[in-house]
């Protein structure tokens, strides 16, 4: 294996480093973006119960903010529960943008690695071909061993770049799809919360009127 890396030339170092970073990003995001960590199932039931029973307190909101990304969004709505619907929606949307930004963290870097890895492999290919032509210029075609070194460098770096780029691209697309799915679910839960608070407000107003 070491001999293969050595034969690949100068660009093998950056390509290997890119592969390590890509793997680390994918595994970290895979752990962070677990549905149970972003959208705890018991969380929404607990919040609806607080709303229905009118038991919302500041300590509940503070606990929600520390619970999960969904908890932060719901906490933003509950913190403004006594204000107009437009203010509630604006606070939820603002918090949602911050949450989505955090969910997207490092995914763009994974896409960048998928894009530049073939280019690094191509650069290594060009360097290998230059080396091969230099051998032809100085020693002619009579020494196949020296000529083969430049050709091997060209082929190995191309293969290495593609070997890193293909899994990185697949991982990028997968994580992007997972984030999009989680965002849709959080939007649904936020809409349910706004509707529940609207219904509660209407019920309170009806009781006062009667």
């Amino acid at each position: 294996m070491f001999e293969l890396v050595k034969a690949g030339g100068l660009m093998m170092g950056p390509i290997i480093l890119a592969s390590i970073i890509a793997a680390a990003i994918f595994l970290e995001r895979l752990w962070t973006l677990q549905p149970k960590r972003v959208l705890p199932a018991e969380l929404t039931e607990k919040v609806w119960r607080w709303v229905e029973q009118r038991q919302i307190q500041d300590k509940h909101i503070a606990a929600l903010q520390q619970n999960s990304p969904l908890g932060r969004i719901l906490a933003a709505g509950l913190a403004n529960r006594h204000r107009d619907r437009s203010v509630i929606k604006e606070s939820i949307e603002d918090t949602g943008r911050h949450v989505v930004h955090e969910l997207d963290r490092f995914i763009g870097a994974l896409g960048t690695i998928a894009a530049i890895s073939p280019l690094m492999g191509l650069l290594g290919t060009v360097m290998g071909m230059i080396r091969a032509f230099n051998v032809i210029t100085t020693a002619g075609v009579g020494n196949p061993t020296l000529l083969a070194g430049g050709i091997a460098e060209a082929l190995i770096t191309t293969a290495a770049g593609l070997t890193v780029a293909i899994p990185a691209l697949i991982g990028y697309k997968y994580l992007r799809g997972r984030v999009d799915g989680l965002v849709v679910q959080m939007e649904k839960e936020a809409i349910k919360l706004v509707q529940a608070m609207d219904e509660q407000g209407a019920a309170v107003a009806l009781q006062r009127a009667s």
Side-chain angles (χ1 to χ4, degrees):
M1 185 67 180
F2 176 75
E3 293 298 326
L4 189 65
V5 173
K6 184 178 178 181
L10 184 63
M11 291 307 299
M12 287 298 293
I15 291 174
I16 292 174
L17 179 61
S19 69
I20 294 172
I21 295 173
I25 290 173
F26 181 75
L27 293 176
E28 189 275 337
R29 287 291 91 186
L30 200 63
W31 170 259
T32 302
L33 297 177
Q34 294 180 78
K36 65 180 181 180
R37 294 174 62 87
V38 180
L39 303 164
E42 74 283 355
L43 181 64
T44 53
E45 297 177 2
K46 186 184 299 183
V47 172
W48 306 149
R49 186 165 59 250
W50 290 343
V51 173
E52 290 175 357
Q53 299 176 0
R54 301 175 189 174
Q55 295 179 341
I56 302 173
Q57 301 177 14
D58 291 341
K59 64 179 182 179
H60 294 150
I61 296 174
L64 276 179
Q65 290 174 337
Q66 304 298 323
N67 181 277
S68 62
L70 176 60
R72 289 180 56 190
I73 293 175
L74 299 181
L78 293 176
N80 295 277
R81 62 191 179 278
H82 299 305
R83 307 180 71 176
D84 294 337
R85 178 188 175 93
S86 60
V87 176
I88 295 175
K89 289 184 63 177
E90 184 178 352
S91 64
I92 289 176
E93 290 173 356
D94 184 58
T95 303
R97 283 190 291 269
H98 290 284
V99 168
V100 172
H101 178 73
E102 291 181 2
L103 296 180
D104 279 337
R105 184 182 298 173
F106 307 131
I107 295 180
L110 186 59
T112 301
I113 290 174
I116 67 172
S117 293
L119 298 179
M120 289 191 293
L122 179 60
L123 178 58
T125 299
V126 172
M127 293 170 65
M129 295 307 295
I130 291 173
R131 178 182 170 189
F133 283 119
N134 284 337
V135 169
I136 294 174
T137 301
T138 57
V141 295
N143 193 334
T145 302
L146 294 176
L147 184 61
I151 296 175
E153 180 178 339
L155 296 177
I156 290 171
T157 52
T158 299
L162 293 175
T163 301
V164 174
I166 293 172
L169 181 59
I170 294 173
Y172 171 77
K173 293 293 185 180
Y174 175 77
L175 293 176
R176 174 60 58 197
R178 174 170 285 195
V179 169
D180 291 342
L182 292 172
V183 169
V184 169
Q185 291 298 319
M186 288 191 292
E187 288 177 349
K188 290 181 179 179
E189 298 299 335
I191 291 172
K192 289 179 183 178
L193 176 63
V194 173
Q195 291 175 343
M197 289 192 293
D198 283 346
E199 292 173 0
Q200 184 189 60
V204 171
L206 184 61
Q207 289 178 358
R208 291 177 179 176
S210 60

